[in-house]
Amino acid sequence: MRSMTHARAGCQLCFCNFMIQGILTINQLQRDFGPHKVLPVKIHQPNPFVPSEENMDLQTTYKQDYNPYPLCRVDPIKPRDSKYPCGDKMESLPTYKADYLPWNQPRRELLRPPHHYRPASTKFDSRTTQQDDYSMKGLVNTRSCKPPAVPKLCNIPLEDLTNYKMSYVAHPLEKRFVHESEKFRPSEIPFESLTTHKESYRGLMGEPAKSLKPPARPCGLLPFSNTTEFRDKYQAWPTPQVFSKPPATYVPPEEKMDLLTTVQAHYTFPKGAPAESCRPAPSVKKGGRFEGSTTTKEDYKQWASMRTEPVKPIPQLNLPSEPLDCLTTTRAHYVPHLPMMTKSCKPLWSGPRGNIPVEGQTTYTISFTPKEMSRCLASYPEPPGYIFEEIDALGHRIYRPISQTGSRRSSRFSVGDSENPNQQELTVSA
């Protein structure tokens, strides 16, 4: 408890010192600060632009220093993939099937109870125990045993006096202070709508860029056939009609439903009467003052106690009598020096060069060779120049050029490619 008191007293003392220092700083600022005359800002007028009479040199460092070297195509390092499947049959016998052979043992019989159930030959009537035992009954008018709702009247008036109504004192409201804002004074100096771009930028006329794209050639190919093998060979299966069973018609019962429960039917209480309350009737006082004494107020009396004064520490801080000088370490020890002019090592500009036209040739325009677009052979039902040979395991139709004979089928990877590398086998997916 004592440590908390000391901490609270220390916080109060620090707050007081902070407030005193703030007040002294404000007084020092009010005493040292003097109003000065505000003059309009002088705008620097740039020198007028004088266009140069010399022509601009459009040469770049890349065009001057770059030396072209002859180009040669690099051979690929990746081995050539084989596009033709092997005709030999793959031996698909794994190690597990070769090493782990089944034992020649008789099959063990299952240990389960004998199956003696035989379904009944009669038709299932789908009747439940609820439908068999509980028959439909008619409606019965029931009588409610609930007592009628009678309002309870009380002759004691409600006391609407509260402590707020008795102790509240209405005070007159003071007039609200409205702060008046100062009027806006527009500046007398006119606004100059000049920017660095408007002052320094001068547009130079130049030639428009030329497109180096080769001219487009019209495509004179035949239209692509929209028929596929799936559309030609697919046959739709006949869809059988779905059998639907008609629902049974609902037949309402002829008798009325009996809403009489088992308790109402067997427990009639011929001599019954409502139960009487064993609680004594409360005694209602029709007059007199309300007695607000309770057991707590009568048995627990308030003790006569004196308020203990907090233990305050003796202040040991001596406040200075002189005002605070707002002098910082920078203002006290900083010595201003004159700026030193540094020498620039940038080479001088030799001026604009002659007007040399831009070389509009690129590697694409020099080395591009247009090729004729031909129709894809896979779009024909029977490709011209090829003969159908077989269908592989993946379902692809393999065609062979007509120039190759039937004796070269076994050596299609070596002989066919070496004699005529332009004609290769054509594989069409089914």
Side-chain angles (χ1 to χ4, degrees):
M1 185 66 181
R2 184 174 298 175
S3 62
M4 293 178 63
T5 308
H6 282 291
R8 186 179 301 172
C11 294
Q12 294 178 0
L13 183 60
C14 293
F15 180 73
C16 293
N17 294 338
F18 179 74
M19 293 297 295
I20 292 171
Q21 291 179 3
I23 294 171
L24 293 176
T25 306
I26 294 172
N27 295 335
Q28 184 71 17
L29 290 175
Q30 292 178 357
R31 184 177 59 187
D32 298 343
F33 177 74
H36 299 278
K37 186 177 181 180
V38 181
L39 299 177
V41 182
K42 295 182 179 180
I43 301 176
H44 174 70
Q45 297 293 338
N47 299 328
F49 174 75
V50 179
S52 179
E53 299 178 357
E54 300 179 359
N55 296 327
M56 182 178 180
D57 185 11
L58 299 178
Q59 290 289 340
T60 59
T61 310
Y62 181 80
K63 293 182 179 180
Q64 294 178 356
D65 301 339
Y66 177 73
N67 298 324
Y69 294 96
L71 301 177
C72 59
R73 187 170 184 178
V74 183
D75 297 336
I77 304 177
K78 185 178 179 182
R80 184 178 181 183
D81 296 336
S82 177
K83 300 181 180 180
Y84 309 104
C86 182
D88 299 338
K89 188 176 181 181
M90 179 180 175
E91 183 181 357
S92 59
L93 183 62
T95 310
Y96 187 83
K97 290 184 178 180
D99 298 343
Y100 295 90
L101 301 177
W103 296 353
N104 296 326
Q105 291 185 357
R107 186 175 181 181
R108 184 182 300 176
E109 298 181 358
L110 300 178
L111 300 177
R112 58 184 180 182
H115 184 69
H116 298 295
Y117 174 74
R118 295 293 183 273
S121 59
T122 58
K123 187 178 180 181
F124 185 66
D125 55 353
S126 67
R127 294 281 297 179
T128 61
T129 309
Q130 177 76 16
Q131 296 176 356
D132 295 339
D133 298 345
Y134 295 90
S135 58
M136 186 67 68
K137 299 182 181 180
L139 298 175
V140 177
N141 297 328
T142 58
R143 182 172 59 86
S144 177
C145 299
K146 184 178 181 180
V150 180
K152 298 181 180 180
L153 303 178
C154 182
N155 299 328
I156 303 174
L158 179 64
E159 183 179 359
D160 58 345
L161 291 178
T162 60
N163 296 337
Y164 182 78
K165 291 183 179 181
M166 293 186 296
S167 305
Y168 177 73
V169 178
H171 298 280
L173 298 176
E174 298 180 358
K175 188 176 181 180
R176 186 176 180 182
F177 173 74
V178 180
H179 177 73
E180 296 181 358
S181 58
E182 299 180 358
K183 295 183 178 180
F184 173 73
R185 296 179 181 179
S187 179
E188 299 177 357
I189 304 173
F191 180 74
E192 296 184 1
S193 59
L194 293 178
T195 59
T196 309
H197 183 76
K198 290 182 179 180
E199 293 179 358
S200 305
Y201 176 72
R202 297 292 184 273
L204 302 179
M205 299 300 293
E207 297 181 359
K210 297 181 181 179
S211 178
L212 302 177
K213 185 178 179 180
R217 298 183 179 181
C219 183
L221 301 179
L222 298 177
F224 190 78
S225 178
N226 57 354
T227 58
T228 59
E229 187 175 359
F230 181 79
R231 294 182 179 179
D232 296 341
K233 296 185 178 181
Y234 176 73
Q235 297 179 0
W237 292 6
T239 305
Q241 186 178 3
V242 181
F243 175 75
S244 60
K245 183 179 179 181
T249 56
Y250 173 73
V251 180
E254 298 178 357
E255 300 180 358
K256 293 184 178 181
M257 182 178 180
D258 186 9
L259 300 178
L260 191 64
T261 60
T262 309
V263 178
Q264 296 177 357
H266 298 285
Y267 299 93
T268 55
F269 295 103
K271 299 180 180 182
E276 297 181 358
S277 177
C278 299
R279 184 179 181 180
S283 58
V284 180
K285 295 182 180 181
K286 298 183 179 181
R289 188 177 179 182
F290 178 72
E291 183 180 358
S293 61
T294 59
T295 308
T296 306
K297 292 182 178 181
E298 294 178 357
D299 298 343
Y300 295 92
K301 303 296 182 179
Q302 186 176 5
W303 293 1
S305 59
M306 298 296 293
R307 183 177 181 181
T308 58
E309 297 181 358
V311 180
K312 297 182 179 180
I314 301 174
Q316 300 178 0
L317 179 63
N318 298 326
L319 299 178
S321 58
E322 299 178 358
L324 178 66
D325 54 343
C326 300
L327 191 63
T328 60
T329 307
T330 305
R331 294 181 180 179
H333 300 282
Y334 176 71
V335 179
H337 298 280
L338 296 176
M340 298 178 63
M341 300 298 294
T342 58
K343 184 179 180 180
S344 178
C345 299
K346 184 177 180 181
L348 298 178
W349 184 48
S350 60
R353 302 183 182 180
N355 189 8
I356 303 175
V358 181
E359 184 180 357
Q361 292 185 356
T362 60
T363 308
Y364 180 77
T365 56
I366 296 174
S367 59
F368 176 74
T369 304
K371 298 180 181 179
E372 184 181 358
M373 298 178 63
S374 59
R375 183 179 176 182
C376 181
L377 298 177
S379 61
Y380 293 96
E382 293 294 335
Y386 290 86
I387 300 176
F388 173 73
E389 181 182 7
E390 60 180 354
I391 299 177
D392 60 354
L394 299 178
H396 297 161
R397 301 170 61 89
I398 299 176
Y399 292 85
R400 180 174 297 281
I402 300 177
S403 60
Q404 298 181 5
T405 58
S407 60
R408 299 180 183 178
R409 293 186 180 181
S410 59
S411 59
R412 53 184 163 183
F413 293 103
S414 59
V415 180
D417 295 342
S418 60
E419 292 183 356
N420 195 355
N422 297 327
Q423 285 190 342
Q424 298 179 0
E425 291 185 352
L426 180 64
T427 304
V428 181
S429 59

